Amino acid sequence: MTGAFADVPDRLAPRPSPADRPPPEQEAAFGRPAAAVGGFADGRPTPPPRPVPPPPAEALLRAFGPKGTGERGLQEPPGGRPGRRRTAAGPWWKSDARSDPWRDPYAPAGLGAPAVYDEASRPGPVVVEPQDRTKLRVRDLSVRLSVLALLAVLLVGAIGGGAGWYLTKTNDETPLLAPGTQLSQVDPGITREPGSVSQIAESVMPSVVSIEVRVGQAGATGSGVVVDAENGYIVTNNHVVSGADGVEGAEIRAVFVDGSGSAARIVGRDPASDIAVLKVEKPGLVAASLGSSDDVVVGDPVVAIGSPLGLAGTVTSGIVSALERPVRLAGEGSDTNAVISAVQTDAPINPGNSGGALVDASGALIGINTAIASTGAGGSIGLGFAIPVDTMRDIAEQLIESGSAVHSSLGVNTRSVTDGTRDGALVLNVEPSSAAAAAGIREEDVVIAVEGERVGSSEELVVAVDAFQPGDTITVEVVRGGGSIELEATLDAA
């Protein structure tokens, strides 16, 4: 071959035969060891022969073995051929019965192929699923069994329906009316122990009245408590009756538990404590028993009685939730501007309860229901406030005696403040010639204590001052210029 492919070897030319022996490195890795002779499988140990089963027991041979020497299989039944039920055509005595391995005690045992169920040609009702779970195929159940069950259900239903129809048709209807019928009555089994809510309500209800106020075409309702039966004095809230005071044509009426009513006149009212006293001309009144504020503790059971939402004689119950709670009162359409040290209760109180009674477990009056805390809807949320009975007694006596009440005054306007560690009442202004001005209290002072008792808000300052009488001298601690000082103030009358 010439040209560019002259140097290319001919692939079709005869190739040299391989060497008789592999290269030394392959022979060392894969060759037969020098000491090995013959195949690698030579020299393996010969497995032991299979054990020969022992011959049958002599008793079995005598009972079931063949009589003749060299014979195999079972012998003929005693007496020769079998009886009437064992015929030559029977399955147990066919011509090849003697050589049947299942009947030959000398036949060797052997394992055969597992049994195979032809699911395609004859599917069964029980199916084996993967994971060896089985289920029953309803479609493979017997049709006859299903039909019989359905017929049985229909038969039972037909018999039951027919029996019911027959009984209803043959039974005569009872008369619609039964003259002279008397329902059975059980003997009274309810006992009302002293101190129960029902017993308290029964004893206090006659002393609680509903107050109806009408001014022109407008009207309002509240509650009141009879405190002097002989003279007809009734205590209520100032904001209940203040809108009718001095208004021509205004009418105030007290409605009692028996449904009778009587016109009421205003004896006196005190916007600074939200207390008012009315007088009615009606004999046979029942006065409430007045308790003491000092005997009330947090957790005591209480009952509130009044006319919430105009529903006279409504009774609710609860406990005393807190004492000496400063609450500011300022009602719309009223000149009430008061701060009271209230009794807090969770007994439900609603609009119309104002002026009603809050009594303890003995039925003694411990407060006059006055205000509620509300989320805006105006209903009870379990936060009601009452004027303590001692405060009510003091103000009512002054109103009955003179028509007005006197309070102590420091002569400052304040606002509640805090610096994160201490709370107090910030003095916004000081009235000229007042007790505070004479004591040297200045604007921007923060009052933190009165007579050693902590003051944490402007409401607490009003309550603390009102606890003293006009003319009393008290010690007022104020914070000024980063330090605190104590000042002496002689209270004025307001």
Side-chain angles (χ1 to χ4, degrees), residues 197 302-306 308 313-318 346-350 353 357-358 369:
V197 175
V302 291
V303 175
I305 303 175
T314 297
V315 178
T316 57
S317 65
D346 68 346
I349 296 176
N350 290 280
N353 271 116
L358 184 69
N369 298 322

Side-chain angles (χ1 to χ4, degrees), residues 276-293:
V277 176
L278 306 178
K279 183 177 177 63
V280 295
E281 305 296 337
K282 181 178 176 61
L285 297 180
V286 178
S289 301
L290 305 186
S292 174
S293 299

Side-chain angles (χ1 to χ4, degrees), residues 20-425:
D20 294 338
R21 299 182 65 85
E25 58 275 10
Q26 294 184 7
E27 185 175 3
F30 304 103
R32 180 188 304 274
V37 178
F40 283 103
D42 293 343
R44 290 189 302 173
T46 303
R50 294 184 179 180
V52 178
E58 184 65 24
L60 294 178
L61 291 176
R62 288 197 305 268
F64 302 103
K67 295 182 178 181
T69 304
E71 296 182 0
R72 298 177 62 84
L74 300 178
Q75 63 180 349
E76 291 287 349
R81 297 288 294 176
R84 295 169 53 189
R85 298 184 59 188
R86 294 184 177 182
T87 62
W92 298 105
W93 294 101
K94 294 184 179 181
S95 59
D96 59 345
R98 294 182 179 275
S99 61
D100 188 354
W102 291 98
R103 295 172 170 81
D104 187 0
Y106 292 96
L111 295 177
V116 178
Y117 193 87
D118 191 359
E119 185 68 21
S121 60
R122 296 183 63 186
V126 178
V127 180
V128 180
E129 294 183 334
Q131 294 83 36
D132 295 334
R133 293 182 300 181
T134 61
K135 67 178 182 179
L136 183 66
R137 295 195 299 200
V138 180
R139 69 174 183 270
D140 295 323
L141 292 179
S142 173
V143 177
R144 295 181 179 179
L145 181 62
S146 302
V147 173
L148 289 176
L150 179 60
L151 292 177
V153 172
L154 295 177
L155 180 61
V156 171
I159 294 175
W165 175 84
Y166 176 77
L167 293 176
T168 56
K169 287 297 182 181
T170 57
N171 189 21
D172 296 334
E173 294 184 352
T174 60
L176 184 62
L177 303 178
T181 298
Q182 293 183 350
L183 301 180
S184 62
Q185 181 177 356
V186 299
D187 295 333
I190 300 176
T191 58
R192 297 178 176 87
E193 299 179 356
S196 63
V197 175
S198 56
Q199 189 271 333
I200 295 171
E202 182 180 2
S203 61
V204 178
M205 196 80 73
S207 61
V208 181
V209 302
S210 297
I211 306 296
E212 298 178 353
V213 179
R214 181 169 297 279
V215 180
Q217 300 298 321
T221 60
S223 305
V225 181
V226 178
V227 293
D228 188 338
E230 183 178 355
N231 297 302
Y233 289 119
I234 299 173
V235 171
T236 186
N237 283 137
N238 175 71
H239 71 264
V240 173
V241 297
S242 61
D245 189 17
V247 178
E248 185 177 357
E251 180 183 358
I252 302 175
R253 184 177 178 83
V255 180
F256 301 92
V257 67
D258 60 358
S260 61
S262 176
R265 297 172 294 162
I266 297 177
V267 176
R269 58 189 187 88
D270 180 31
S273 64
D274 200 22
I275 292 293
V277 176
L278 306 178
K279 183 177 177 63
V280 295
E281 305 296 337
K282 181 178 176 61
L285 297 180
V286 178
S289 301
L290 305 186
S292 174
S293 299
D294 295 336
D295 297 334
V296 181
V297 298
V298 175
D300 280 350
V302 291
V303 175
I305 303 175
S307 303
L309 307 176
L311 303 175
T314 297
V315 178
T316 57
S317 65
I319 63 170
V320 175
S321 303
L323 295 172
E324 299 180 357
R325 180 77 73 189
V327 177
R328 184 175 294 277
L329 305 176
E332 296 182 2
S334 172
D335 57 357
T336 297
N337 185 17
V339 178
I340 62 173
S341 179
V343 177
Q344 180 180 325
T345 178
D346 68 346
I349 296 176
N350 290 280
N353 271 116
S354 296
L358 184 69
V359 299
D360 61 13
S362 67
L365 184 71
I366 63 170
I368 298 296
N369 298 322
T370 300
I372 61 174
S374 176
T375 58
S380 172
I381 59 172
L383 294 175
F385 305 98
I387 300 173
V389 64
D390 289 354
T391 302
M392 182 276 296
R393 182 189 290 109
D394 179 49
I395 301 300
E397 289 175 351
Q398 294 185 53
L399 294 177
I400 293 172
E401 290 179 0
S402 63
S404 61
V406 178
H407 297 271
S408 299
S409 175
L410 185 60
V412 295
N413 292 324
T414 61
R415 176 170 59 88
S416 301
V417 293
T418 181
D419 62 359
T421 58
R422 287 188 301 182
D423 302 331

